[in-house]
């Protein structure tokens, strides 16, 4: 997140979106390790929606696999986010299930292992089908 919660959405700018996010995540993880947090208890989250534009969020989702080299589980939280509302012209967060499922499926396909969602069963079902397809072998 850039700035405070009240101001983080005011014209967020990045020179190198993914590189800057990765640097911040790497630094935070290293600080956690130095403080004694065990590696198995740390996951990284690129912060969808926090100080980012709609297009920043789309780029993060499109390039998620670039976070794999940090060597930590990747967490994504797109559930009912405002960028989905802007993309789909859905001002009511309750109406964003389809966008949430779509972003979660893409996130899993690109390496996310932890999803923060409101509609657990619907997303779980979609992810289960996605994972079975990805693991299917030709007979």
């Amino acid at each position: 997140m850039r700035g405070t919660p009240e101001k983080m959405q005011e014209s967020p700018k990045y020179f190198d979106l993914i590189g800057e996010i990765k640097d911040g995540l790497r630094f935070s993880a290293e600080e956690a390790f130095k403080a004694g947090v065990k590696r198995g208890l740390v996951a990284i989250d690129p912060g969808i929606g926090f100080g980012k534009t709609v297009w920043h969020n789309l780029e993060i989702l499109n390039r998620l696999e670039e976070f794999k080299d940090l060597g930590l589980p990747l967490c994504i939280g797109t559930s009912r986010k405002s960028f989905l509302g802007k993309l789909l012209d859905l001002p009511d967060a309750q109406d964003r299930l389809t966008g949430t499922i779509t972003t979660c499926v893409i996130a899993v396909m690109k390496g996310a292992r932890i999803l923060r969602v409101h509609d657990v069963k619907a997303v779980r079902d979609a992810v289960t089908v996605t994972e079975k397809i990805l693991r299917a072998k030709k007979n």
Side-chain angles (χ1 to χ4, degrees):
M1 172 171 82
R2 296 202 163 188
T4 64
E6 299 79 26
K7 300 206 179 243
M8 68 181 172
Q9 292 305 118
E10 293 178 10
S11 302
K13 291 184 177 43
Y14 294 84
F15 177 72
D16 172 12
L17 177 68
I18 302 302
E20 290 175 44
I21 294 169
K22 281 176 64 174
D23 287 347
L25 292 170
R26 187 179 295 110
F27 175 80
S28 294
E30 288 171 3
E31 289 296 304
F33 300 144
K34 285 181 197 172
V37 177
K38 293 185 170 131
R39 187 172 191 84
L41 298 176
V42 175
I44 56 171
D45 182 342
I48 296 288
F50 292 90
K52 297 173 185 81
T53 66
V54 170
W55 303 111
H56 289 147
N57 294 317
L58 296 176
E59 182 176 353
I60 291 166
L61 288 166
N62 190 39
R63 296 175 60 192
L64 273 181
E65 60 274 323
E66 293 180 41
F67 292 92
K68 287 182 185 178
D69 66 356
L70 294 175
L72 294 165
L74 180 59
C75 175
I76 292 294
T78 58
S79 188
R80 302 183 186 176
K81 292 278 177 120
S82 63
F83 86 99
L84 296 172
K86 290 174 185 170
L87 287 170
L88 299 170
D89 193 24
L90 296 171
D92 187 344
Q94 301 293 324
D95 296 332
R96 300 176 189 160
L97 179 59
T98 304
T100 296
I101 290 171
T102 303
T103 56
C104 287
V105 164
I106 288 171
V108 166
M109 291 177 73
K110 292 186 171 272
R113 292 296 163 252
I114 303 166
L115 303 172
R116 191 216 38 89
V117 299
H118 296 89
D119 305 284
V120 175
K121 182 181 182 333
V123 173
R124 186 199 66 210
D125 289 351
V127 168
T128 297
V129 171
T130 300
E131 288 177 336
K132 288 182 188 247
I133 291 168
L134 292 174
R135 292 186 182 126
K137 303 226 187 244
K138 189 175 178 180
N139 289 336

